Amino acid sequence: MHNHQAFQPGNTGAVLVAAGSGKRLGGEIPKQFQPLGGKPVLRWSVDALLRCDKIRALAVVVSPSERARTAALLPSDSRISLVDGGAERTDSVRNGLRALEGKGLDSVLIHDAARPGLSACVVDELIAALAGADAAAPALPVADALKDTRNGVRTVSREGLVRIQTPQAFRFDVISRAIASATGAVDDIALVEATGAKVVLTPGRQELMKITHPEDLAIAEKLLSSQQTMRVGTGFDVHGFTAGDHVTICGVRIPHTKTLEGHSDADVGWHALTDAILGAAALGDIGDHFPPSDLQWKGADSLVFLQHAAKLAAERGFRVVNADITLLCEKPKISPHREAMRTKTAEALGIPLDCVSVKATTTERLGFLGREEGIAAQAVVMLSR
């Protein structure tokens, strides 16, 4: 075998196996596409793997009949490749590994899409373990009493027994050789055990449970919700009026006797919302990312700013839970356009309409807003990871 001390994993790939039919879960939709905590089960593992900088390539293995459905729910990321699954799980894994060949990978993780509770620390522990082994897997001790029911009921000692989870990590050449001619196996580790490979175990996690039966979805949702991080961000923006014939607020063009002055399209509502998202994710402010001194943003559609902020947050694992925007002005009247603003904002962020609020108020004729010298906006968002 290898000189384990000399091996330092550098380029890691991942195979996400999502080609099963999930018949035990019931229902017409395979379990990897069932909704869980606001997104499909499959997407939880995809997002977790893509958040890891060490993952250089990801092969998502699906049934050929599910390619279109899968492609529609995957994020845009050059590391992802869709691969057709095979007749058995081992065939699907083999197809995924072949798709990763030639990418200069020295190690690979193989993960079941039916285990959505993957975290970055699990990935880091597995990759680190390969420095001294050929393969590694997360394991949990068996806590329940065990009985053998094949011939009556007989107590079985649980001493030394563990439950193996995924992802399982391998040196790329080790698993590639082991799977070349293999057929069915209990798990991927079993494929290399017979070759004399050195296997080590890392700590398992309860939230890495496998979704198999209908009640598992509810259990997984509770486990995942307990791991969630919530962030709140606020944003404020103001633009003064200048000569013109319309204003653009929350993506909606409203005829008016003046226009808002600004380097971009001066969308005061979306500027405040952009700052709120950046603030919640601790990513600075809109001026850091889109400085007014940069001519490329002159007259720019603020949709670019808003979606860029949401993308940056998403790259750090955050999704927008809800957004609440308050507009402060005497004119124009906001209420006739409020639903259009909500719709535009929801579409821009890819969240349900009932997660977006747009409100308007005045300052009772007080101050620069009361004198109709401009419009201000404040926004609050909640992000979840």
Side-chain angles (χ1 to χ4, degrees):
M1 297 307 292
H2 300 268
N3 178 349
H4 296 121
Q5 299 307 315
F7 181 83
Q8 289 298 326
N11 296 321
T12 303
V15 175
L16 183 61
V17 185
S21 60
K23 293 176 181 176
R24 281 178 289 182
L25 190 70
E28 298 180 3
I29 303 176
K31 59 188 173 185
Q32 58 269 34
F33 302 109
Q34 297 265 11
L36 174 67
K39 58 184 178 181
V41 168
L42 167 69
R43 184 65 189 260
W44 283 91
S45 295
V46 170
D47 290 348
L49 289 165
L50 293 180
R51 280 199 300 272
C52 300
D53 294 337
K54 295 174 183 176
I55 301 298
R56 304 296 175 85
L58 171 59
V60 180
V61 187
V62 297
S63 167
S65 63
E66 297 291 357
R67 280 186 73 98
R69 191 207 300 249
T70 308
L73 64 84
L74 290 177
S76 177
D77 193 301
S78 60
R79 291 175 288 174
I80 298 176
S81 56
L82 263 181
V83 180
D84 286 343
E88 301 293 336
R89 187 185 186 284
T90 303
D91 301 315
S92 293
V93 172
R94 185 184 296 112
N95 291 353
L97 290 171
R98 283 175 179 164
L100 296 179
E101 289 176 355
K103 295 184 181 293
L105 303 175
D106 49 40
S107 53
V108 63
L109 301 177
I110 302 175
H111 185 50
D112 291 333
R115 295 183 186 270
L118 181 59
S119 62
C121 55
V122 170
V123 172
D124 290 342
E125 289 165 359
L126 287 166
I127 294 175
L130 290 181
D134 297 300
L140 283 175
V142 177
D144 300 317
L146 295 178
K147 304 291 182 182
D148 185 344
T149 61
R150 288 172 294 185
N151 185 19
V153 178
R154 183 173 61 87
T155 299
V156 177
S157 172
R158 64 189 179 209
E159 185 178 349
L161 297 181
V162 293
R163 294 188 289 131
I164 299 297
Q165 301 176 311
T166 75
Q168 297 175 358
F170 303 86
R171 299 189 184 193
F172 198 89
D173 57 345
V174 171
I175 185 63
S176 295
R177 285 197 304 268
I179 204 171
S181 58
T183 52
V186 175
D187 67 351
D188 303 306
I189 288 289
L191 295 172
V192 301
E193 286 172 353
T195 69
K198 181 179 179 181
V199 178
V200 298
L201 302 179
T202 60
R205 304 291 196 282
Q206 291 293 345
E207 57 267 26
L208 261 178
M209 64 172 286
K210 186 175 184 179
I211 294 175
T212 304
H213 303 103
E215 61 271 21
D216 293 341
L217 279 169
I219 297 170
E221 185 135 9
K222 288 181 179 178
L223 286 172
L224 290 172
S225 65
S226 68
Q227 305 297 314
Q228 284 185 335
T229 298
M230 308 301 286
R231 296 275 193 89
V232 175
T234 65
F236 179 83
D237 194 42
V238 61
H239 285 279
F241 282 126
T242 188
D245 61 1
H246 76 281
V247 295
T248 299
I249 306 176
C250 294
V252 177
R253 182 186 174 103
I254 303 170
H256 190 48
T257 55
K258 306 170 187 175
T259 194
L260 289 173
E261 188 173 15
H263 189 64
S264 62
D265 62 2
D267 188 329
V268 64
W270 276 2
H271 288 184
L273 183 56
T274 299
D275 255 356
I277 293 171
L278 293 172
L283 293 169
D285 61 35
I286 192 170
D288 295 331
H289 298 273
F290 304 98
S293 58
D294 192 335
L295 291 178
Q296 70 171 310
W297 308 122
K298 185 173 178 59
D301 186 340
S302 293
L303 176 66
V304 175
F305 305 163
L306 180 60
Q307 292 188 329
H308 180 72
K311 180 175 181 289
L312 289 177
E315 288 171 355
R316 286 153 181 78
F318 290 106
R319 64 182 179 93
V320 177
V321 177
N322 73 298
D324 182 19
I325 303 167
T326 302
L327 303 169
L328 298 93
C329 62
E330 295 291 336
K331 292 179 183 176
K333 288 292 184 186
I334 299 300
S335 55
H337 310 283
R338 186 168 55 195
E339 292 308 306
M341 293 178 181
R342 291 180 65 217
T343 299
K344 285 273 191 179
T345 304
E347 290 174 350
L349 294 175
I351 61 178
L353 182 62
D354 65 1
C355 294
V356 176
S357 166
V358 175
K359 311 186 301 296
T361 188
T362 71
T363 57
E364 302 295 337
R365 294 285 176 183
L366 298 174
F368 72 91
L369 296 170
R371 294 190 297 270
E372 298 184 33
E373 295 173 4
I375 298 177
Q378 63 181 28
V380 178
V381 300
M382 176 169 281
L383 302 184
S384 171
R385 178 166 62 186

